[in-house]
Amino acid sequence: MKSKTSKSGTLAVWGGEAEGFPDGAVTPPITSSVAFAHHDIDQWHRVAIGESKGHIYSRNTNPTVAVLEEKIRLLEDAEHATSFATGMGAISSTLFALLTPGKRVVSIKDTYGGTSKIFLEFLPPYGVNITLCETANHEQLEAEISRGCDLVYLETPTNPTLKIVDLKRLATAAHKVGATVVVDNTFATPINQNPLKLGADLVIHSATKFLCGHSDAMGGILCGKRELVDKVFRFREINGASLQADPAYMIARGMKTLELRIERQNASALKIAHFLKAHPKVSDVFYPGLPTHTGHDIAKNQMTGFGGVMSFSLKGDYDMVKKFLPRLKLVHLAASLGSVSTLAGPPRTTSHVELSDEQRKHLGIPESLIRYSVGIENVEDLMEDLEQGLKSV
Ligand SMILES: *Cc1c(COP(=O)(O)O)cnc(C)c1O
C-alpha cells in the first residue's frame, strides 16, 4: 500500500476557508443571494468578463459554492475546479461540453449506470462514437485507445463488483494519441486515490456520496486542467446544472470529517470483507483490499486505502437475498453509498435495475449480489449484525 504523506485532513478542514469570513465567522456563510450588486459599473464589467474577482449571478458563481470548489480542488491538487447540482450534472456537462460530432470515446462497460446511459443512449444521436471495453481488460482498452480517440473515460473501483483499472497505464496510452483522460473518482475519494497524480486530465466526483457523507445533500464536482475545466464551466453556466449555496454548505461541512470517515470506513470494510470471505453462507466477496481480488495489485499501487464499498453474493438465489437483507438491523436498505450509516441493496433493484438478467450476467453480476457500503458504526456491531442475518437464512 502506498503511504499517505499529504495533508488531506488539514485541507478537508481549512481548504477554501483559510482567509476567514466576514464578522469573524468560523464557518462559511450561506449566501443565498441570486444576484450580487456592484456600485461601480466599470468594476461590474470587469467581474463579468472575469478580469476581477467577484460574483454576478449564482447560476455562474456563488461565494458559498466557491468554498466547496476550493476544498476539493486542493484535495485533488488540481489547477481548477467547478461544481454542479449533482454528480450526473458534472458527468453529462463534461461529456457534452468536450465532445462534438465525429469524436470518439473509449470507456469501460462498468461505468456508473447513468454514465452508461449517456454513452449508450444520449451521445450517439449527436454523432459521437463510443467504444465500451471489458472493464479490467487492459490489453483491449489499450488496443482501442491506440486506434485513435479523443476522450478516455474511466472509473475505478467500479460499481458493483469493484473492478480496478490501471489509471497510469491507460493515461499513458491515451496521451500517446492525444486523448483527454477523465476519471470518476467517486468510489475512492481524494483520500484514497488522486487520479490527476496518475496522469488523468480531469477528475469527477459525485459529491452526494462520500464527500458529503451524510446522505443529505446532492452535488457534483469537476477538477483538473484549467483550460478543460473552464470549457465545461462555460457550458454549465448556460445549461444551468449549477450547485446551490445550501447543499454546497452541507457538503463542505460534511467534508471536514472526510479523512476521519474514510480512514474508519477503509479499516471497517477490510475487516468485514475478510469476515464475509470466511463465512460459509457467502459464495464470493468483491473488495479490492482482499489479496484474492483480481485488481488487488493495481489497487495497492494506485490507492492509499481500498474504500468503504464492497459487494458479496450469497450461496443461494435472489429469494435468499430477499429474506436476508430485511433481517439486518444496522443498515438502510437503500440506494446510494458513502454515508455515515451503512447502506445496502441488491444491484438488481438499485444501480442495475434497468438491465436484463442476461445483461447483468454479462457484466459478472451474480443474481444474489449485495452491495454493502460500510458506515462509521462500530465494526464489531456491523459484523454481529451480518452474522445474525446470515444465520437466519
Ligand atoms: C452516484 C454516482 C454518480 C452520480 O451522482 P449523483 O450525485 O447521484 O448524480 C456518478 N458516479 C458514481 C460512481 C456514483 O456512485
Side-chain angles (χ1 to χ4, degrees):
M1 178 69 46
K2 236 165 37 127
S3 70
K4 191 87 197 175
T5 52
S6 74
K7 301 208 183 309
S8 303
T10 309
L11 294 176
V13 175
W14 287 97
E17 308 194 18
E19 284 172 28
F21 301 105
D23 302 318
V26 295
T27 62
I30 302 174
T31 305
S32 309
S33 186
V34 163
F36 299 86
H38 296 271
H39 301 292
D40 178 329
I41 306 301
D42 285 333
Q43 173 63 9
W44 184 356
H45 183 251
R46 279 192 293 276
V47 173
I49 61 172
E51 269 180 17
S52 253
K53 270 195 170 178
H55 305 281
I56 303 275
Y57 189 61
S58 280
R59 171 153 41 75
N60 312 338
T61 65
N62 168 284
T64 313
V65 172
V67 169
L68 174 70
E69 292 169 339
E70 180 64 0
K71 221 181 253 313
I72 300 171
R73 183 190 76 77
L74 288 166
L75 281 166
E76 288 289 16
D77 199 9
E79 280 174 21
H80 198 36
T82 194
S83 59
F84 304 82
T86 63
M88 280 318 301
I91 293 165
S92 57
S93 297
T94 301
L95 293 171
F96 278 94
L98 299 183
L99 296 166
T100 48
K103 299 265 185 195
R104 177 165 186 255
V105 178
V106 174
S107 186
I108 53 176
K109 285 189 179 163
D110 289 64
T111 51
Y112 178 73
T115 309
S116 178
K117 251 189 176 321
I118 292 188
F119 287 146
L120 298 172
E121 207 174 312
F122 295 111
L123 277 172
Y126 292 91
V128 177
N129 304 304
I130 315 281
T131 304
L132 302 183
C133 301
E134 294 302 326
T135 299
N137 186 340
H138 290 83
E139 287 75 23
Q140 190 197 357
L141 276 155
E142 278 175 333
E144 287 296 343
I145 291 167
S146 65
R147 280 180 52 210
C149 64
D150 302 284
L151 193 142
V152 174
Y153 187 98
L154 302 170
E155 206 176 303
T156 179
T158 64
N159 189 26
T161 53
L162 288 294
K163 289 178 193 151
I164 302 291
V165 299
D166 189 328
L167 293 179
K168 202 180 237 173
R169 179 170 167 183
L170 297 175
T172 305
H175 290 150
K176 271 191 199 144
V177 297
T180 299
V181 179
V182 185
V183 177
D184 180 335
N185 202 28
T186 301
F187 267 48
T189 81
I191 305 299
N192 284 333
Q193 180 170 272
N194 297 115
L196 298 174
K197 290 202 172 75
L198 299 163
D201 302 296
L202 291 170
V203 172
I204 291 175
H205 286 280
S206 165
T208 313
K209 312 292 170 56
F210 287 102
L211 298 185
C212 172
H214 295 72
S215 292
D216 55 5
M218 302 192 89
I221 284 278
L222 171 74
C223 54
K225 297 228 167 88
R226 175 171 290 279
E227 194 194 322
L228 293 167
V229 174
D230 249 340
K231 192 166 179 183
V232 182
F233 164 69
R234 287 199 303 274
F235 181 51
R236 190 270 281 155
E237 285 186 296
I238 303 307
N239 79 10
S242 310
L243 183 62
Q244 305 241 341
D246 282 281
Y249 175 83
M250 297 290 277
I251 297 165
R253 185 187 203 270
M255 280 187 67
K256 290 184 186 179
T257 56
L258 181 67
E259 191 186 54
L260 285 176
R261 287 186 280 111
I262 299 300
E263 281 175 354
R264 170 81 158 218
Q265 285 163 314
N266 284 344
S268 296
L270 188 61
K271 212 163 176 181
I272 291 169
H274 280 290
F275 160 77
L276 289 171
K277 183 86 189 161
H279 201 284
K281 290 198 177 156
V282 173
S283 63
D284 218 340
V285 181
F286 302 90
Y287 185 66
L290 292 176
T292 46
H293 188 278
T294 50
H296 179 68
D297 289 337
I298 302 169
K300 228 167 46 178
N301 266 323
Q302 70 187 12
M303 304 179 82
T304 50
F306 299 111
V309 186
M310 72 183 72
S311 58
F312 60 97
S313 52
L314 301 180
K315 280 187 189 149
D317 54 12
Y318 190 54
D319 283 336
M320 189 171 172
V321 172
K322 284 197 279 189
K323 275 191 212 114
F324 166 69
L325 282 175
R327 301 248 162 93
L328 296 178
K329 297 180 177 92
L330 292 176
V331 65
H332 291 298
L333 301 182
S336 200
L337 54 99
S339 186
V340 287
S341 45
T342 298
L343 296 162
R348 204 185 137 118
T349 62
T350 55
S351 54
H352 293 70
V353 67
E354 280 148 30
L355 302 188
S356 64
D357 288 354
E358 208 45 48
Q359 284 170 315
R360 277 190 296 269
K361 200 174 200 170
H362 184 70
L363 281 173
I365 303 173
E367 277 307 284
S368 68
L369 192 72
I370 293 161
R371 188 179 69 194
Y372 192 81
S373 172
V374 182
I376 61 166
E377 301 93 338
N378 179 297
V379 67
E380 302 296 333
D381 287 345
L382 291 177
M383 289 193 296
E384 232 168 74
D385 190 34
L386 286 163
E387 178 62 53
Q388 66 80 23
L390 287 165
K391 204 180 258 171
S392 72
V393 290

